[in-house]
Amino acid sequence: MISDSASTVNARERLRRILDQKQRKPTKTELINLQNLLKRASPDFTASNRSWHIGMNALTLTRENMSCLRSSNLMFHKVDGIGVLAAFFPLAGEERSLCTMLCIRKNGTVAIDNVPLAYNGRVLMDGELCLRRSLSQTESTRISGTIPCIVGFKYLDVDDGNTEDDSKYELCFAAHDLLVADDARSSSARSRFGDAICVQNATVRLERLMAITQSQPSGDAREALFKSMVESFADRKPALTVFFKPPYIASMARLAFRTLPTCLRGVRLDGMIFLPSDTPYMVGQINPRLLKYKSWHENTGDFVLVKDETAEVYNFFVVNNESRARCISNRIYWGHTEQERAHTRSLVDLEAKRLAAGGEKNTPLIFECEPYLDDSEKDAFYALRNSTNKEQMLLDAYKLLQWRPIMHRYEKLYPNSEVNYWTIVKCLLDYITDADIITHLGGK
């Protein structure tokens, strides 16, 4: 039987495999056009920046910052996919809006051709690349009944990674925010909305995004125009589907935690995002009121893993404020089952094989690691919540946590910062439940 963590790894590898088949390197002209579009959202943007990704970053939701949640916030389901900024450029000479999509990630930019978007203009969106498939009868049954909490709810069948099943999956871009919208056909649209939508607050941005993606207010269907447009591409099958990820009002959090929008059925989820409705898109910055919430085990960290030269001990490293390595644990968890243990061992061996082949020591592999607590240590771990010395509380807590590598983050250039690591520890120690959030927002 395939474990949950192995299924997660298989699903992510399938996404990368399908994406690799559809993406290509951008042309020089496309990159120039992209640079010009990015400058509309961020006038200070320059091509010499380390990364072209200028997305707005979220903080992890903890009891400490839960006061930032307001009933007027918007809630989105968090997709377990690849977060990107997506720039859409209509192709010249097309009667209908067939686009080239440039996907901007923190480690580079790729292009995808033949993307339908019923909008004749240049657009810059925020969202996630993901896979969606038709639900089996068992999966449909799981979500047709009462869902206690969508966060951590495993409604999809486990994924064995079989490449023969790739055809059953649809590559999608789930859009959830808008930075720039330039309607080339109408000067009135430009004067009414402006090129840089990111300066507007979230309700205005999402209203415009919903219109661009031809979504109905419920977010569960696209307009007939969009459907007929897709069907017209007889000899050029669309590379992916773009849809708007519908928000909930946070005052209805109880409903949001227990329902799954139609457009997200068949998509893997890993949490919730809370978006302040009254702030602009903070380009290339952390928005302290933009908060992400995951299940306990999905509060993973990205670490460098180094084996001790004299013993079978593995040390996990992050980087501090001076970009120097800092060891945060030497407690590795190998897994519940023999299959999980074999998978962990295969990941650990990757770094040894890289070094043996002459790889540079100063460019180690980065692994996504999930947290684990022994049953015998859970009481001691959670008892630390009562400590009055908050700094000592975290120092004691991290010593009890174990970490299990679950996948190689080949696209990552750096591990987590030390600040981010302590945020993860704090979140794990003082974990907030969906009931806590609902109560805080008024219990509706």
Side-chain angles (χ1 to χ4, degrees):
M1 181 176 179
I2 299 173
S3 66
D4 285 339
S5 58
S7 178
T8 298
V9 173
N10 290 335
R12 294 187 188 180
E13 289 178 347
R14 187 189 300 277
L15 172 57
R16 290 170 180 164
R17 182 168 63 246
I18 292 176
L19 180 60
D20 285 344
Q21 296 169 1
K22 297 176 181 289
Q23 68 184 23
R24 61 171 173 80
K25 290 184 178 180
T27 65
K28 183 176 180 179
T29 299
E30 288 170 338
L31 290 177
I32 292 174
N33 290 335
L34 175 59
Q35 181 178 353
N36 292 334
L37 190 63
L38 292 175
K39 283 184 176 179
R40 296 190 189 179
S42 177
D44 296 332
F45 170 80
T46 62
S48 61
N49 288 353
R50 186 179 68 186
S51 170
W52 286 32
H53 190 277
I54 56 173
M56 180 167 60
N57 297 311
L59 292 179
T60 300
L61 178 63
T62 64
R63 197 170 300 276
E64 188 175 82
N65 61 19
M66 191 163 64
S67 60
C68 294
L69 286 186
R70 300 174 183 173
S71 58
S72 62
N73 285 170
L74 302 172
M75 292 178 63
F76 296 87
H77 292 89
K78 187 175 182 300
V79 169
D80 184 10
I82 301 174
V84 300
L85 293 181
F88 297 85
F89 296 92
L91 297 180
E94 290 288 340
E95 294 183 2
R96 296 184 184 271
S97 295
L98 189 66
C99 295
T100 291
M101 174 180 170
L102 297 185
C103 301
I104 311 144
R105 302 175 62 185
K106 292 183 178 179
N107 68 326
T109 300
V110 298
I112 300 176
D113 296 316
N114 296 334
V115 177
L117 188 70
Y119 183 78
N120 186 23
R122 301 183 177 192
V123 187
L124 183 62
M125 301 181 193
D126 197 346
E128 299 121 334
L129 288 169
C130 59
L131 295 179
R132 180 171 62 186
R133 61 185 171 90
S134 300
L135 298 178
S136 68
Q137 184 59 50
T138 56
E139 292 163 336
S140 297
T141 300
R142 290 188 191 110
I143 61 175
S144 63
T146 301
I147 300 175
C149 180
I150 203 74
V151 177
F153 177 57
K154 306 292 184 182
Y155 81 95
L156 289 176
D157 293 336
V158 294
D159 191 336
D160 62 5
N162 187 344
T163 58
E164 295 180 358
D165 291 335
D166 284 358
S167 60
K168 299 177 182 178
Y169 290 81
E170 174 189 17
L171 182 63
C172 297
F173 177 72
H176 58 240
D177 215 327
L178 181 65
L179 287 80
V180 177
D182 175 15
D183 190 336
R185 297 171 301 179
S186 172
S187 60
S188 63
R190 180 172 297 186
S191 62
R192 183 169 54 170
F193 296 108
D195 288 342
I197 306 299
C198 57
V199 299
Q200 305 291 333
N201 59 30
T203 52
V204 176
R205 300 197 306 270
L206 297 185
E207 180 182 0
R208 184 70 171 137
L209 179 59
M210 183 171 64
I212 289 173
T213 55
Q214 297 293 309
S215 300
Q216 294 180 355
S218 67
D220 287 349
R222 290 175 295 278
E223 298 291 351
L225 171 63
F226 180 74
K227 292 181 178 179
S228 63
M229 179 183 68
V230 171
E231 292 171 357
S232 70
F233 300 144
D235 57 342
R236 290 180 295 179
K237 184 178 180 181
L240 58 74
T241 298
V242 178
F243 65 83
F244 174 57
K245 191 167 59 171
Y248 293 76
I249 299 296
S251 61
M252 303 300 291
R254 184 180 297 276
L255 175 65
F257 273 116
R258 287 158 175 75
T259 59
L260 187 61
T262 301
C263 65
L264 288 176
R265 297 188 176 196
V267 177
R268 293 176 65 92
L269 305 174
D270 66 355
M272 286 284 193
I273 294 288
F274 294 86
L275 172 69
S277 59
D278 58 352
T279 61
Y281 190 104
M282 298 174 66
V283 178
Q285 301 178 55
I286 294 176
N287 185 339
R289 293 175 55 206
L290 177 65
L291 303 171
K292 58 184 177 181
Y293 174 72
K294 298 182 178 182
S295 65
W296 195 91
H297 286 284
E298 287 170 336
N299 282 279
T300 57
D302 295 324
F303 307 138
V304 168
L305 185 61
V306 178
K307 182 180 180 298
D308 192 284
E309 294 181 355
T310 60
E312 189 71 8
V313 175
Y314 294 85
N315 299 299
F316 296 86
F317 286 87
V318 294
V319 291
N320 62 17
N321 292 335
E322 299 175 351
S323 297
R324 295 181 179 178
R326 165 74 187 276
C327 180
I328 48 86
S329 179
N330 61 5
R331 304 190 71 194
I332 188 170
Y333 179 67
W334 294 97
H336 294 281
T337 65
E338 187 57 40
Q339 183 185 43
E340 286 187 349
R341 289 188 286 272
H343 177 71
T344 305
R345 174 59 66 182
S346 69
L347 289 175
V348 168
D349 289 344
L350 284 178
E351 178 67 3
K353 291 178 180 178
R354 187 188 71 85
L355 292 174
E360 294 288 339
K361 288 187 177 181
N362 60 350
T363 58
L365 302 182
I366 297 170
F367 298 95
E368 181 175 349
C369 303
E370 63 180 13
Y372 178 78
L373 273 175
D374 276 336
D375 289 339
S376 61
E377 296 178 324
K378 287 182 179 179
D379 289 344
F381 182 79
Y382 291 115
L384 294 172
R385 294 172 176 174
N386 301 321
S387 174
T388 56
N389 186 331
K390 300 304 180 182
E391 182 175 343
Q392 188 62 46
M393 174 186 72
L394 292 179
L395 291 173
D396 292 338
Y398 95 93
K399 296 175 183 177
L400 297 174
L401 287 170
Q402 299 177 51
W403 297 95
R404 176 175 175 255
I406 57 174
M407 68 184 302
H408 168 215
R409 296 299 299 269
Y410 73 96
E411 78 284 7
K412 284 276 186 176
L413 300 177
Y414 303 96
N416 285 152
S417 69
E418 187 175 359
V419 171
N420 184 259
Y421 170 73
W422 289 117
T423 299
I424 295 172
V425 174
K426 183 185 297 183
C427 180
L428 293 171
L429 179 61
D430 199 12
Y431 184 69
I432 297 172
T433 67
D434 60 304
D436 295 328
I437 296 172
I438 292 168
T439 300
H440 169 77
L441 292 170
K444 294 182 181 181

